[in-house]
C-alpha cells in the first residue's frame, strides 16, 4: 500500500472510532432529541431558496411552506414543552395554508380560487388557535379586562355627563 492509502485508511479508522465513542457517550442521542425539527425546517428553507433562485418550479412552494411552518412549530414545542401542542395544534392546517398561499402568489396564471381557499384555511386555523387559547387561563385575563373596562366606562361616563351637562 502506498502512504496515501495508509493515511486514508488511518483517518477512516479514527473517524469510525470517534463515531462509536460519541455514540456510546450519548452525543448523537442528544442531538437527535434536540435538533430533529431541523430535519423539517432546513429542507423547507432550502426549497424556498431554490424556488426564489428560479432553480425549480413554484409548485415546490407548497411543501416548502408546510415544512417550514412544521419545523418552526415542532422546534418550539421541542424547546419549551410538548404541552404547547394542546393550544398550537391549529398551526398544522396553517402550514398547509401558508404553502398554498405562497404557491398561489407565484403560479403563472393566477388562480383566485386557490388564494381564497388558502386565506380561508389560514383564517380558520387562526380562529381555532384563538379558541384553543381561550380555553386556557387567558379567559381569566379577558374577564378581568372586561370588568375593568366596564368600571371605567361607568365611572368615566357618569363624570363625563356631569361635565357635558354643565354647559347646557
Amino acid at each position: 500500500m502506498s502512504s496515501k492509502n495508509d493515511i486514508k485508511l488511518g483517518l477512516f479508522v479514527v473517524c469510525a472510532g470517534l463515531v462509536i465513542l460519541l455514540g456510546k457517550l450519548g452525543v448523537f442521542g442528544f442531538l437527535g432529541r434536540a435538533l430533529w425539527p431541523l430535519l423539517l425546517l432546513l429542507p423547507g428553507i432550502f426549497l424556498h431558496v431554490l424556488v426564489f433562485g428560479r432553480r425549480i418550479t413554484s409548485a415546490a412552494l407548497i411543501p416548502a411552506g408546510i415544512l417550514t411552518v412544521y419545523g418552526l412549530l415542532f422546534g418550539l414545542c421541542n424547546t419549551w414543552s410538548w404541552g404547547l401542542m394542546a393550544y398550537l395544534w391549529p398551526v398544522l392546517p396553517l402550514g398547509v395554508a401558508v404553502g398554498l398561499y405562497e404557491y398561489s402568489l407565484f403560479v403563472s396564471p393566477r388562480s383566485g380560487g386557490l388564494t381564497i381557499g388558502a386565506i380561508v384555511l389560514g383564517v380558520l386555523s387562526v380562529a381555532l388557535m384563538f379558541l384553543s387559547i381561550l380555553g386556557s387561563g387567558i379567559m381569566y385575563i379577558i374577564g378581568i379586562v372586561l370588568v375593568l373596562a366596564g368600571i371605567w366606562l361607568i365611572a368615566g361616563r357618569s363624570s363625563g355627563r356631569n361635565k357635558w351637562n354643565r354647559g347646557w
Side-chain angles (χ1 to χ4, degrees):
M1 271 205 216
S2 69
S3 64
K4 281 189 174 187
N5 287 339
D6 289 342
I7 292 173
K8 289 179 185 178
L9 181 62
L11 284 174
F12 176 76
V13 170
V14 168
C15 288
L18 284 173
V19 167
I20 291 171
L21 287 174
L22 290 174
K24 292 305 268 179
L25 292 172
V27 171
F28 297 122
F30 167 75
L31 291 177
R33 284 188 306 274
L35 301 178
W36 71 266
L38 290 177
L39 295 176
L40 298 175
L41 182 63
L42 292 178
I45 292 172
F46 185 65
L47 284 173
H48 277 102
V49 169
L50 289 177
V51 169
F52 296 138
R54 300 190 190 277
R55 302 276 182 173
I56 57 176
T57 66
S58 60
L61 285 172
I62 297 172
I66 294 170
L67 289 172
T68 303
V69 171
Y70 286 7
L72 292 172
L73 171 67
F74 295 153
L76 178 76
C77 289
N78 201 30
T79 302
W80 279 285
S81 167
W82 281 96
L84 289 175
M85 200 58 141
Y87 307 108
L88 297 180
W89 65 266
V91 174
L92 295 172
L94 183 65
V96 176
V98 167
L100 289 174
Y101 184 71
E102 285 181 336
Y103 175 66
S104 72
L105 291 178
F106 288 96
V107 70
S108 61
R110 291 244 172 150
S111 171
L114 184 61
T115 305
I116 291 171
I119 291 172
V120 167
L121 183 60
V123 168
L124 179 65
S125 297
V126 170
L128 287 172
M129 189 171 359
F130 181 72
L131 289 175
S132 71
I133 290 173
L134 283 180
S136 67
I138 200 163
M139 286 304 287
Y140 292 110
I141 296 171
I142 292 174
I144 291 170
V145 167
L146 288 174
V147 167
L148 292 175
I151 291 171
W152 178 77
L153 285 172
I154 292 169
R157 189 172 181 138
S158 64
S159 65
R161 277 191 178 167
N162 292 339
K163 289 179 187 176
W164 289 105
N165 289 337
R166 287 183 196 164
W168 295 88

